[in-house]
Amino acid sequence: MILLTLQNVSKSFAMNTVLKDVNLTLQAGSRMGLVGVNGSGKSTLFRLISGAMEPDEGTISLTKGARVGVLTQDADIQSDLTIQQELERVFEPVRQMEVKLREMEAEMAEKHDDPEAFDALSRAYSRLMDRFEDAGGYEWPSRIQGVLAGLGFARGREQQPANLLSGGEKTRLCLARLLLTQPDLLMLDEPTNHLDLQSVEWLEETLKKYRGTVLVISHDRYFLNAVCDCMAELSMRRLTQYEGNYDRFAVQRQANLERQLKEYKLQQAEIARQEAIIARYRMYNREKSIRAAESREKRLEKMERLEKPVTEQKVRFSFEARRRTGDDVLFARELTKGFEGRTLFEHFNLHLRAGDRVALIGANGVGKTTLLNILTGKLPPDGGTVTFGSNVDLGYYDQHQSGLHPDKDVLNELWDDFPRMEVDRVRSVLALFLLTGDDVFQPIRTLSGGEKGRVALAKLMLRRDNLLLLDEPTNHLDMDSREVLEDALEDFDGTILTVSHDRYFINRVANRVIEMRPDGVREYLGNYDDYVEKKRLEAAGAQEDATGGKTRTQLDKERRRERLKQESARQLRQKLKQAEQAIADVEAQIAQLAARMADPETYRDADAAQSVAKQHRETQAALDGLYEDWEALSEAVAELDG
């Protein structure tokens, strides 16, 4: 069923056309990722779909009665309610039903001597109880706790005033409230911002199981691969839909671009050929040749001309080191740091060798950025030492771009750091980062987060350092810019230590992963996928140690046998007889369903055929469970007889 349709939607602001003739079809239950460079109109499209803004042209159709929930990047909470109370508001109708049920129970107790009134009240009570249970009346408190834990709110913070949270925490709370509301269309604008890796993974699993439809804007390619089953790209004011996740979209987009370019070139070649024939006919200057020329000209005029495929401009840069380091680049020994009596980390050790590419991961607040500030000398450690090897030139990318001067314009921000460069050379470098024309005279404070990030990367590129410390370098960058950054770092012949939540980035760049935790540090060779696999094997090994190396199936069977041992011989034999009869009954049902599936008449009605096939699968699964019960009962009875 189609949940949402956009037909020829256009939107402009003053003379700037953001969206033109946008068409979109979203099926109910789909999980669509919406991508495009910064400024391509993604957030504008969200506002149009949510009804916060009207299109200039075109129509937006949503299934009647469908509820829409939107998470924006600037979510804010102004009320004086606590975190718990903010989320309990979602379940106010359920709580009101519970109050009404208690009132009806008291009323029923008073009217037990009046059968007619009691019977009417009892029926009303039963109907309300059904509604209460369907609305999750018994499970909403645990759902609140589950969402808070999943999104990284520590236990015990429920009574904290919500308006005192940081901006990122308010966004997380709004996301929690939205997930509990469960709208039919869930629209999320950059939901993984402000989430640590554990919370992002929890959100992925939650969205994969979500009963409604999801439309998500994200630059997190790993997240899009895990969650989405279809994609849409906004480019050059138009929208194109694709099937599959982000990786499939990237392949299809490139193939589409190559096909369109080939078709355009073939058409241009044909046009040129026809124009040459027409010119030759007109050279003959005979009536017959002139008529032939005019006939071909009319066909050319009727030809639907293909537009030349164009793509958004991309950032283009590379990193080079001006000299080589020694084999040992950095030693951090027994580093400890804390603030206001709280220890962030202690006994941290790190050895970087030439050519290492290390990703530092961990929960928010564990001290990753603080560690980078210690390594760069911006903060002193409480204990331990930092030693650099020979010929090390240290370059640092700060995710907050605190090294940029807000009152300088873009041109002088670079030129003041590299005064020996010619102004044309400075402007050429900025052009590589898509800062051209009058853009270079903008004050830094007026730039977007992505533009500030590109200025910081331009400065880092020009420094030509051989050790790069990068703090969330992909934040604020669009997907194309992230891929260019990854290409540049892959080709870099120096050493890299990066803090990142971008798992796709870590997969491409890292050859070691260091996990910082409150209880210590663990190091893993390989990229992020290797890290996940090793963590899975560690968890499986720990579970195996705890269970004596037994599998889950073996443990389940043992627990079942232990329960059966508590029953009497007479009860066991009776249950065994019942199990055998149940197996015979189910096998007879399966035989009947198999006969219907073998009958061609069944397939005259497609819905009926699907129903029969579904019943057959479900009945077969039930039979498997009955055989497991029968096996356990048989073993228990055999032990008694033996």
Side-chain angles (χ1 to χ4, degrees):
M1 183 182 77
I2 296 175
L3 179 76
L4 173 70
T5 304
L6 276 68
Q7 291 183 312
N8 301 321
V9 170
S10 298
K11 185 66 182 178
S12 300
F13 298 96
M15 301 299 292
N16 179 30
T17 300
V18 178
L19 303 172
K20 184 174 178 59
D21 293 329
V22 167
N23 294 287
L24 173 69
T25 302
L26 186 59
Q27 296 286 339
S30 296
R31 285 149 182 74
M32 176 178 282
L34 179 61
V35 298
V37 299
N38 293 337
S40 61
K42 301 186 296 295
S43 295
T44 299
L45 187 62
F46 257 41
R47 287 195 287 272
L48 291 170
I49 293 172
S50 66
M53 185 185 293
E54 292 293 325
D56 298 335
E57 297 176 15
T59 59
I60 299 174
S61 304
L62 189 67
T63 298
K64 187 176 181 180
R67 295 176 301 120
V68 179
V70 186
L71 176 75
T72 62
Q73 294 188 55
D74 55 355
D76 200 2
I77 294 173
Q78 301 294 341
S79 72
D80 295 328
L81 299 176
T82 65
I83 292 173
Q84 179 77 20
Q85 289 168 337
E86 275 288 343
L87 298 183
E88 285 180 351
R89 287 170 56 192
V90 173
F91 298 100
E92 188 59 32
V94 180
R95 297 169 70 195
Q96 291 297 326
M97 279 191 272
E98 188 171 13
V99 171
K100 182 64 176 175
L101 285 170
R102 301 293 84 83
E103 292 174 351
M104 293 176 76
E105 287 167 1
E107 193 176 350
M108 288 164 68
E110 293 174 0
K111 296 188 176 181
H112 66 278
D113 292 333
D114 185 347
E116 188 175 335
F118 182 86
D119 186 55
L121 192 58
S122 178
R123 287 196 299 272
Y125 179 86
S126 179
R127 289 193 297 270
L128 183 59
M129 177 60 76
D130 289 341
R131 287 174 52 208
F132 177 74
E133 291 177 350
D134 289 343
Y138 294 116
E139 62 190 35
W140 66 263
S142 61
R143 284 182 59 196
I144 287 177
Q145 292 305 314
V147 167
L148 286 174
L151 292 177
F153 287 96
R155 201 167 185 82
R157 296 188 65 190
E158 296 90 342
Q159 302 310 314
Q160 183 177 344
N163 59 9
L164 298 181
L165 297 176
S166 68
E169 288 174 327
K170 286 181 178 178
T171 301
R172 279 193 281 150
L173 183 58
C174 288
L175 176 57
R177 191 169 59 195
L178 200 56
L179 291 171
L180 291 171
T181 305
Q182 293 192 324
D184 301 295
L185 176 57
L186 181 61
M187 299 172 61
L188 306 174
D189 192 350
E190 296 290 356
T192 59
N193 285 1
H194 315 295
L195 297 183
D196 58 30
L197 286 176
Q198 186 174 358
S199 297
V200 171
E201 289 169 357
W202 176 88
L203 180 61
E204 286 172 355
E205 291 304 313
T206 300
L207 293 180
K208 282 191 278 189
K209 299 172 187 173
Y210 190 71
R211 290 183 298 180
T213 305
V214 178
L215 179 60
V216 57
I217 296 172
S218 181
H219 287 140
D220 187 335
R221 295 155 293 174
Y222 204 100
F223 174 82
L224 293 172
N225 270 339
V227 171
C228 296
D229 53 27
C230 56
M231 299 288 299
E233 182 189 29
L234 273 171
S235 177
M236 310 301 289
R237 302 183 297 278
R238 298 183 186 275
L239 184 139
T240 308
Q241 286 187 236
Y242 299 85
E243 291 297 320
N245 61 11
Y246 176 81
D247 281 346
R248 284 191 61 194
F249 147 75
V251 172
Q252 291 176 71
R253 177 180 60 170
Q254 185 60 34
N256 282 353
L257 182 62
E258 291 173 359
R259 175 183 52 77
Q260 290 167 8
L261 188 59
K262 183 177 180 180
E263 289 174 352
Y264 173 78
K265 288 180 177 178
L266 287 173
Q267 188 184 64
Q268 290 299 304
E270 177 60 17
I271 290 171
R273 189 178 75 85
Q274 291 295 336
E275 287 175 343
I277 293 172
I278 291 168
R280 191 161 63 247
Y281 280 160
R282 289 198 175 278
M283 278 176 54
Y284 296 150
N285 200 22
R286 297 173 185 166
E287 184 178 349
K288 185 177 180 181
S289 61
I290 289 173
R291 284 202 303 270
E294 290 173 346
S295 175
R296 287 179 181 267
E297 284 174 341
K298 287 179 182 178
R299 287 204 298 270
L300 269 183
E301 288 172 3
K302 292 179 181 178
M303 180 184 291
E304 186 177 345
R305 302 291 178 106
L306 300 175
E307 292 184 16
K308 184 177 182 180
V310 291
T311 57
E312 307 279 0
Q313 282 186 295
K314 289 187 180 182
V315 173
R316 294 176 289 116
F317 64 94
S318 61
F319 291 112
E320 294 178 0
R322 61 179 176 272
R323 59 177 179 169
R324 292 182 62 83
T325 64
D327 289 340
D328 295 319
V329 175
L330 180 148
F331 287 100
R333 296 183 176 92
E334 296 295 315
L335 291 181
T336 300
K337 187 64 181 179
F339 294 97
E340 300 176 353
R342 173 175 171 256
T343 300
L344 279 181
F345 55 83
E346 56 187 350
H347 307 302
F348 181 89
N349 294 284
L350 174 66
H351 178 199
L352 289 182
R353 300 174 181 84
D356 275 351
R357 284 157 164 67
V358 178
L360 194 62
I361 65 173
N364 291 338
V366 80
K368 302 184 296 296
T369 296
T370 300
L371 175 66
L372 292 188
N373 284 328
I374 290 173
L375 297 180
T376 57
K378 293 185 176 183
L379 282 176
D382 295 340
T385 60
V386 177
T387 307
F388 292 96
S390 59
N391 298 328
V392 172
D393 303 311
L394 178 61
Y396 179 52
Y397 178 90
D398 175 9
Q399 66 166 312
H400 303 295
Q401 285 89 44
S402 58
L404 301 181
H405 304 84
D407 294 324
K408 285 186 181 180
D409 62 34
V410 173
L411 180 65
N412 285 296
E413 179 66 37
L414 245 68
W415 207 1
D416 288 352
D417 280 16
F418 303 94
R420 295 184 179 181
M421 291 177 60
E422 297 289 336
V423 64
D424 289 345
R425 167 66 175 147
V426 176
R427 297 198 64 159
S428 296
V429 169
L430 289 171
L432 294 176
F433 292 83
L434 305 185
L435 295 162
T436 58
D438 291 340
D439 292 344
V440 303
F441 301 117
Q442 292 185 80
I444 294 294
R445 67 173 179 274
T446 66
L447 301 182
S448 68
E451 289 168 332
K452 288 178 182 177
R454 298 204 300 269
V455 173
L457 285 173
K459 294 176 71 172
L460 189 63
M461 181 191 79
L462 290 173
R463 285 175 54 89
R464 299 177 62 202
D465 296 313
N466 51 31
L467 170 59
L468 301 182
L469 302 188
L470 310 174
D471 189 8
E472 298 289 357
T474 59
N475 277 9
H476 307 298
L477 297 182
D478 58 47
M479 289 182 178
D480 289 341
S481 298
R482 291 181 184 203
E483 290 175 359
V484 173
L485 174 61
E486 290 159 1
D487 291 339
L489 292 176
E490 280 186 335
D491 294 336
F492 178 56
D493 57 3
T495 305
I496 300 168
L497 174 63
T498 179
V499 170
S500 182
H501 287 134
D502 188 336
R503 295 160 294 172
Y504 206 98
F505 171 81
I506 295 172
N507 261 352
R508 286 199 60 187
V509 171
N511 56 25
R512 285 163 61 196
V513 174
I514 293 178
E515 181 185 23
M516 290 184 71
R517 300 180 298 191
D519 60 345
V521 174
R522 292 294 304 275
E523 185 170 326
Y524 301 84
L525 290 177
N527 61 14
Y528 183 80
D529 283 345
D530 297 323
Y531 155 79
V532 170
E533 178 62 17
K534 287 168 185 173
K535 291 280 287 185
R536 186 189 66 78
L537 292 174
E538 285 177 4
Q543 184 178 13
E544 188 172 324
D545 290 342
T547 59
K550 294 171 183 173
T551 65
R552 184 185 296 272
T553 302
Q554 290 172 324
L555 288 170
D556 288 343
K557 285 186 176 181
E558 286 187 4
R559 293 190 191 106
R560 187 180 295 172
R561 281 198 295 268
E562 288 300 318
R563 287 196 301 270
L564 290 173
K565 284 180 182 178
Q566 308 304 317
E567 300 187 14
S568 67
R570 184 180 61 81
Q571 288 174 318
L572 286 173
R573 288 192 173 90
Q574 185 178 2
K575 283 191 174 183
L576 179 60
K577 187 175 181 181
Q578 291 171 346
E580 289 170 345
Q581 183 58 50
I583 287 172
D585 292 343
V586 172
E587 285 180 336
Q589 291 179 36
I590 291 174
Q592 291 174 359
L593 290 167
R596 289 181 63 187
M597 290 173 67
D599 185 354
E601 289 295 320
T602 301
Y603 299 93
R604 292 186 181 277
D605 184 339
D607 291 339
Q610 288 180 359
S611 176
V612 171
K614 182 180 178 183
Q615 289 179 55
H616 186 270
R617 289 194 301 271
E618 291 173 349
T619 311
Q620 187 64 57
L623 180 63
D624 293 341
L626 288 173
Y627 268 119
E628 289 179 8
D629 293 340
W630 175 83
E631 182 181 357
L633 287 164
S634 297
E635 289 177 1
V637 170
E639 287 180 11
L640 286 173
D641 293 341

